[in-house]
Amino acid sequence: MQKTAVVKSNDHIAAQLAPVGRETVQDRVYLELRRALIGGLFEPSQVLTIRGLADALMTSTMPVREALGRLITEKALEALPNRSVRVPPITLERMDDLLRARILIEGEAIALAATRMSPRQVSVIESMLSEWDEMRALKLKKDVDREVTLNQSFHFEIYRACGSAVLIPMIESLWLQSGPCIRVAIYAFSEAGEVDTAHFHRRIVGALAVQDAAAAREALIADISRPFNFLRNKLQSEAASKGTS
Amino acid sequence: MQKTAVVKSNDHIAAQLAPVGRETVQDRVYLELRRALIGGLFEPSQVLTIRGLADALMTSTMPVREALGRLITEKALEALPNRSVRVPPITLERMDDLLRARILIEGEAIALAATRMSPRQVSVIESMLSEWDEMRALKLKKDVDREVTLNQSFHFEIYRACGSAVLIPMIESLWLQSGPCIRVAIYAFSEAGEVDTAHFHRRIVGALAVQDAAAAREALIADISRPFNFLRNKLQSEAASKGTS
DNA sequence: TCATTACAAGTGTGATCACAAATCAAAAAT
DNA sequence: ATTTTTGATTTGTGATCACACTTGTAATGA
């Protein structure tokens, strides 16, 4: 026993330095990649290698390949016939497909949430609006990362209130899939003149406060449709200009 | 040029000789487990061990653990804090949750399919009805496996026609999650007096034939609700009898 | 007799190695 | 100069090993 303890002493010290012993490395890698995908840190069509990610995340290939497998089944990544994996490319068809699914499922989730949220929960959501105004006030530099994170928190705080353990993972999967698109759109947003995200979110909160499920669904649809419509116009105009050149 | 043609012909022949050379072991394991889950071959709350499955599937632990990870992210399996994995147990809340999601998403899928299916495609679906009658005719032994498979083929042949690469994987995930419940219900069906599945499927085909999306959705909802309602009654009566005993 | 402890078997996790297939680059042949 | 071929590098896949943790059981204590 002592002998093995001596051999293990390195591991033991490492374990003390990293007291988060509960979570596994593969979960950490999975969450890291997930965050990167939702945030749009990877470009569409970018190919990812197991060893490359393992080096970047300071671990072996083992946890990475399991995380990649999980992300592939969620359609957040794509397995090519080469056996290599890449971020799915953006196409108009896929965008419309994703938007339709998001309208369907997230719309249902918020309608459910509207009838179930307590005034207490609504006030929590409402308080998140002020963070937006804060960020808006000191918007010297465009903090796209923070905007993405805040937007995500706002929406999922609502979805969590729908009380469906089935719908929420599906919504997470949809966000994972549309992450790369959204990032492009939000980035283009901050260039193309300030469109007030907070305005749409206030509409949502207003509908939730009076438990108007239909209004909440409509407001949500308007909110999540914006980046898709924006990106669609952008892609179409690009295609048109390429056609004329 | 001729030489390369010759070289390629070898590959071509090899591909013909071993047409399963493309699929990896982990995919085989994943599909195997998936099939078992949808078919309800695993009992709810049953715990699965990596080494046990590896022995049963005649492979090492490596492909199995990747497959389990994928199934866990699809919520087809559940990761306990023990780090062991099990088939999720059945609860009334979860059943209702699953049914609501299936009505929402599969209903939308069939509504889309109704407007997009060609008469050619409808006739393909229609021809599947006769298989049911066949099976019904020689129903000496209750072939639950075949019934489950046939039901699956029928539904997904329709869903595939909706043309959404986003909705279909979600439906697959939902079937994966509700598989263990359904099996229990179908098995109980064949005991509790013949309810005609084919009748509901004929209603669906009839609506699709005239491209009536609303009617198709209604017929589908009636079809997929049956096993859930049946199982709900069963669980409730069991709980009641346990309460009185 | 019952509870606690110590030991043993089992299980998941991560790392490393071996191998095959794919990719790329340079060299050779036409 | 272009194409083909060959060799080296990279990459994914599967197997095996070492370790940590849990679980179950037998031995020891009160």
Side-chain angles (χ1 to χ4, degrees), chain A residues 222-238:
Chain A
D223 183 41
I224 65 182
S225 295
R226 274 183 308 131
F228 283 94
N229 292 334
F230 188 87
L231 195 50
R232 187 184 304 116
N233 288 338
K234 187 161 171 258
L235 289 180
Q236 283 174 343
S237 66
E238 279 176 7

Side-chain angles (χ1 to χ4, degrees), chain A residues 204-230:
Chain A
I204 293 176
V205 173
L208 290 177
V210 297
Q211 303 206 342
D212 186 340
R217 179 186 251 126
E218 286 307 314
L220 178 82
I221 291 176
D223 183 41
I224 65 182
S225 295
R226 274 183 308 131
F228 283 94
N229 292 334
F230 188 87

Side-chain angles (χ1 to χ4, degrees), chain B:
Chain B
M1 196 155 52
Q2 289 81 0
K3 280 199 287 187
T4 61
V6 172
V7 170
K8 281 186 183 176
S9 69
N10 282 340
D11 290 349
H12 187 57
I13 293 176
Q16 285 181 333
L17 288 179
V20 279
R22 278 295 165 200
E23 78 178 4
T24 64
V25 179
Q26 79 177 33
D27 285 339
R28 183 178 65 83
V29 171
Y30 173 71
L31 292 176
E32 202 77 27
L33 292 178
R34 193 187 167 88
R35 211 170 45 82
L37 279 167
I38 290 187
L41 270 62
F42 294 133
E43 272 178 53
S45 301
Q46 179 180 356
V47 301
L48 305 176
T49 65
I50 293 181
R51 286 177 175 87
L53 291 173
D55 289 345
L57 294 170
M58 308 249 294
T59 177
S60 79
T61 64
M62 185 58 58
V64 174
R65 69 158 109 174
E66 312 212 357
L68 288 186
R70 291 166 70 176
L71 290 168
I72 288 173
T73 65
E74 297 184 279
K75 306 291 175 188
L77 294 176
E78 194 178 23
L80 276 64
N82 311 344
R83 298 231 191 289
S84 62
V85 333
R86 70 169 178 184
V87 182
I90 300 182
T91 68
L92 279 176
E93 297 75 27
R94 179 167 173 77
M95 274 183 44
D96 291 339
D97 201 359
L98 279 170
L99 177 58
R100 179 179 52 210
R102 289 190 54 179
I103 287 176
L104 178 69
I105 298 172
E106 297 182 36
E108 182 74 7
I110 201 176
L112 282 170
T115 64
R116 300 186 182 191
M117 274 175 75
S118 65
R120 179 83 185 79
Q121 287 175 299
V122 175
S123 68
V124 170
I125 309 288
E126 197 169 9
S127 70
M128 299 180 73
L129 292 177
S130 62
E131 289 193 50
W132 232 281
D133 298 332
E134 262 179 43
M135 198 179 69
R136 198 181 158 78
L138 43 88
K139 200 165 202 168
L140 306 173
K141 75 166 192 176
K142 300 158 189 168
D143 198 343
V144 180
D145 284 321
R146 182 159 167 71
E147 186 157 345
V148 169
T149 305
L150 211 55
N151 189 50
Q152 185 181 354
S153 304
F154 176 80
H155 278 91
F156 276 91
E157 194 66 38
I158 297 173
Y159 300 145
R160 212 172 304 134
C162 82
S164 168
V166 171
L167 290 181
I168 293 174
M170 303 192 120
I171 297 176
E172 288 178 353
S173 173
L174 286 172
W175 278 61
L176 222 38
Q177 293 179 60
S178 45
C181 308
I182 299 305
R183 173 56 160 256
V184 175
I186 287 189
Y187 184 74
F189 264 160
S190 51
E191 307 238 316
E194 192 64 33
V195 184
D196 193 1
T197 320
H199 168 254
F200 287 87
H201 285 194
R202 266 190 292 269
R203 270 185 60 197
I204 292 175
V205 173
L208 289 177
V210 296
Q211 303 208 340
D212 187 340
R217 178 186 253 126
E218 285 307 313
L220 178 83
I221 290 176
D223 183 41
I224 66 181
S225 296
R226 275 182 308 132
F228 284 94
N229 292 333
F230 187 88
L231 195 50
R232 187 183 303 117
N233 289 337
K234 187 161 172 254
L235 289 179
Q236 282 174 345
S237 66
E238 280 175 6
S241 69
K242 184 188 289 180
T244 57
S245 67

